[in-house]
Amino acid sequence: MTTIRPFTCDDLFKFNRINMDQLTETYGIPFYLQYLAHWPEYFLVAESPTGELMGYIMGKAEGAVSREEWHGHVTALSVAPEYRRLGIAAKLMELLEEISESKGAFFVDLFVRVSNQVAVNMYKRLGYSVYRTVLEYYSASNGEPDEDAYDMRKALSKDVHKKSIIPLPHPVRPEDIE
C-alpha cells in the first residue's frame, strides 16, 4: 500500500534516486527547503510499505486573485522509474489540485518539456491542455540548444467560464511570463 504524506527534511537525503531521471529538474537544497517552508501543504511524497520513496510533487500557490490569476503551480513532479505507470503521478496531481481548490485557485498550471511526450500525454489524460508554448524555457547543459516548454493548465471550479485555459495564439519567451 502506497502512502502519500507530507515531505520532510529527512526526505531530502532519500529522494536523490528519484531525481536521477534526465527529464527531472534538480535544484539545490535551499530551493527545496524554501518550498518546504513556504508551501508545505504542496510538497508531498509517495512512500512504499518498506519506506522507500517512490515519487514526489512540489508546488505552490501564486498569482493575483483580483485578475483571476490565483492558481496552484506544479514546480516538480517525479516518480522513480520502477514505480511508473502505477498511478502515483496521477494521485499526486489529484492531491495538488484538491489543495489548490481549497485555496480558491482558478486553475493549476505546470511547465513540461515539449520533447517529453510521455508526460504531456499523461497531463492531457488528467485534463490539462496546452495554454502556451514558452520558447527556450529549459536550459541545455551540454551545448545543445535550449528547449521549449508547454505551459499546461487545468481549470478548477472557481473558473466557471474556463477563461484561464483559453490557449494563447503565439509563443512567449520566459521573460514574458508573469
Side-chain angles (χ1 to χ4, degrees):
M1 173 67 112
T2 302
T3 301
I4 307 288
R5 62 167 176 78
F7 197 93
T8 68
C9 287
D10 289 341
D11 294 327
L12 289 170
F13 304 103
K14 298 190 293 188
F15 83 136
N16 242 1
R17 59 181 219 36
I18 299 170
N19 281 351
M20 301 294 268
D21 179 357
Q22 65 186 17
L23 296 174
T24 298
E25 292 296 309
T26 304
Y27 308 98
I29 297 290
F31 187 82
Y32 294 106
L33 290 173
Q34 177 186 11
Y35 271 75
L36 197 52
H38 291 283
W39 304 282
E41 69 279 17
Y42 276 98
F43 208 160
L44 304 170
V45 65
E47 187 176 60
S48 76
T50 62
E52 188 174 14
L53 298 188
M54 303 164 76
Y56 70 92
I57 192 167
M58 70 179 207
K60 61 184 175 180
E62 64 183 359
V65 175
S66 62
R67 295 193 317 244
E68 297 184 3
E69 293 173 357
W70 180 248
H71 66 281
H73 174 73
V74 178
T75 302
L77 169 65
S78 189
V79 176
E82 64 270 29
Y83 295 113
R84 291 186 183 152
R85 302 199 182 278
L86 299 175
I88 294 168
K91 183 61 179 174
L92 291 167
M93 288 295 294
E94 177 187 328
L95 291 170
L96 188 135
E97 291 165 14
E98 288 174 8
I99 292 163
S100 298
E101 271 289 354
S102 72
K103 292 185 171 293
F106 289 88
F107 61 94
V108 171
D109 79 341
L110 58 91
F111 294 90
V112 61
R113 292 175 184 274
V114 170
S115 66
N116 191 350
Q117 280 301 301
V118 171
V120 170
N121 291 335
M122 178 196 72
Y123 293 127
K124 285 181 178 180
R125 280 192 307 275
L126 296 175
Y128 287 76
S129 59
V130 175
Y131 172 68
R132 60 187 169 185
T133 300
V134 183
L135 301 173
E136 300 175 341
Y137 181 80
Y138 290 102
S139 298
S141 58
N142 54 1
E144 293 185 19
D146 291 345
E147 186 171 353
D148 297 348
Y150 288 136
D151 176 355
M152 298 186 76
R153 294 185 176 187
K154 180 177 183 177
L156 298 178
S157 63
K158 191 162 185 177
D159 184 4
V160 177
H161 302 293
K162 310 258 187 265
K163 293 188 292 187
S164 65
I165 62 170
I166 298 171
L168 293 184
H170 54 80
V172 299
R173 305 221 35 97
E175 58 269 17
D176 299 328
I177 298 172
E178 293 181 21

